[in-house]
Amino acid sequence: MAGKLSPSMMCVNYLQLETSIRALERAGADYLHFDIMDGHFVPNFTLGPDFIRCIRELASIPFDYHFMVERPENLLSVFDIRPGDMVSVHQEASVHLQRTLQRIRELGARPSVAINPGTPILSVEEVLDDIDAVLLMTVNPGFAGQKLIPSTLRKISALRRHLADRGYDRIEIEVDGNVSWEHASAMRRAGADIFVAGTSSIFRKDEDIEALANRLREVIA
């Protein structure tokens, strides 16, 4: 199965928003990735529900929500979550994680658990029956443009082996953080399935987004 592309809308040029979305549609992006930050769980603020509603009017691509917030269960009803979307909540942030994942499933979306670089993969063991994916952060969350944490490549491999050993091959691994062409290739070999693409690959100043997205798609194929 070919890898899936999830461009990070935190990195898009807002002055060229519609043009960029059309380019991503032509390139066959599988998701549009939205980082939701509250200034508490991570030291930054992005992207609000009104902005996301505007994107809904422009795009036909499913959304990939990444809630980097404390108590994400309190915000699920605020955002326009629809069937076919992916919704990731952090293991470190949700007090009643299984209940939150169940609510995401009730909304028709695909539940996913996100874990930070320093969080062990075994922390998701008790919710494997409740998820469709694990979002593995390869940088510390909060800001674009960070360097890859090298140990996270081994972590991808370890998670893929663990899922296979436990009979959960159906669970996809999503990676987020410095997904350059070089790193994406290594991540793919390690077992990653979904790639959050930002400034290190497809959102490069004054370059053609469609061409860059196609280049990344070839790498993860």
Side-chain angles (χ1 to χ4, degrees), residues 82 157 163 214:
R82 299 187 183 181
S157 297
L163 292 174
N214 284 327

Side-chain angles (χ1 to χ4, degrees), residues 152-219:
T152 58
L153 292 175
R154 297 191 298 273
K155 192 174 183 181
I156 297 168
S157 297
L159 177 58
R160 176 50 66 205
R161 288 194 302 271
H162 181 72
L163 292 174
D165 291 344
R166 301 281 287 137
Y168 290 96
D169 293 283
R170 63 169 183 81
I171 294 178
E172 295 180 296
I173 298 175
E174 183 171 11
V175 285
D176 185 357
N178 201 290
V179 182
S180 64
W181 294 291
E182 178 184 1
H183 292 153
S185 179
M187 292 167 174
R188 182 61 172 159
R189 291 194 300 273
D193 303 291
I194 306 172
F195 298 78
V196 179
T199 55
S200 60
S201 54
I202 71 173
F203 293 112
R204 300 164 72 94
K205 188 176 181 180
D206 299 326
E207 295 191 44
D208 185 278
I209 291 176
E210 183 179 357
L212 295 175
N214 284 327
R215 178 178 173 185
L216 182 59
R217 183 171 288 287
E218 290 176 2
V219 169

Side-chain angles (χ1 to χ4, degrees), residues 51-95:
F51 172 79
I52 291 175
R53 287 191 195 98
C54 290
I55 305 299
R56 281 288 191 199
E57 296 181 8
L58 296 173
S60 59
I61 305 170
F63 286 7
D64 176 15
Y65 290 95
H66 179 192
F67 283 91
M68 288 178 268
V69 302
E70 295 179 356
R71 302 300 295 266
E73 57 271 20
N74 295 335
L75 290 180
L76 295 178
S77 61
V78 176
F79 289 82
D80 184 19
I81 296 172
R82 299 187 183 181
D85 292 344
M86 179 86 77
V87 180
S88 297
V89 295
H90 271 265
Q91 183 274 342
E92 307 91 349
S94 185
V95 176

Side-chain angles (χ1 to χ4, degrees), residues 18-182:
E18 184 169 4
T19 300
S20 298
I21 288 172
R22 297 292 169 255
L24 294 172
E25 288 176 337
R26 291 192 300 271
D30 298 279
Y31 294 99
L32 296 179
H33 186 88
F34 293 91
D35 290 307
I36 316 298
M37 307 183 195
D38 63 357
H40 297 285
F41 183 69
V42 293
N44 196 2
F45 290 91
T46 64
L47 295 160
D50 292 334
F51 172 79
I52 291 175
R53 287 191 195 98
C54 290
I55 305 299
R56 281 288 191 199
E57 296 181 8
L58 296 173
S60 59
I61 305 170
F63 286 7
D64 176 15
Y65 290 95
H66 179 192
F67 283 91
M68 288 178 268
V69 302
E70 295 179 356
R71 302 300 295 266
E73 57 271 20
N74 295 335
L75 290 180
L76 295 178
S77 61
V78 176
F79 289 82
D80 184 19
I81 296 172
R82 299 187 183 181
D85 292 344
M86 179 86 77
V87 180
S88 297
V89 295
H90 271 265
Q91 183 274 342
E92 307 91 349
S94 185
V95 176
H96 302 290
L97 181 58
Q98 195 276 338
R99 182 184 298 167
T100 303
L101 296 168
Q102 184 179 41
R103 178 55 185 155
I104 293 168
R105 183 83 72 189
E106 290 170 354
L107 292 170
R110 306 182 65 207
S112 170
V113 173
I115 54 175
N116 288 331
T119 301
I121 61 174
L122 290 178
S123 65
V124 303
E125 179 71 20
E126 302 306 325
V127 294
L128 293 178
D129 286 333
D130 304 294
I131 59 176
D132 289 347
V134 176
L135 172 54
L136 199 157
M137 295 299 301
T138 52
V139 301
N140 286 300
F143 297 93
Q146 298 184 64
K147 292 184 178 180
L148 177 82
I149 297 173
S151 63
T152 58
L153 292 175
R154 297 191 298 273
K155 192 174 183 181
I156 297 168
S157 297
L159 177 58
R160 176 50 66 205
R161 288 194 302 271
H162 181 72
L163 292 174
D165 291 344
R166 301 281 287 137
Y168 290 96
D169 293 283
R170 63 169 183 81
I171 294 178
E172 295 180 296
I173 298 175
E174 183 171 11
V175 285
D176 185 357
N178 201 290
V179 182
S180 64
W181 294 291
E182 178 184 1

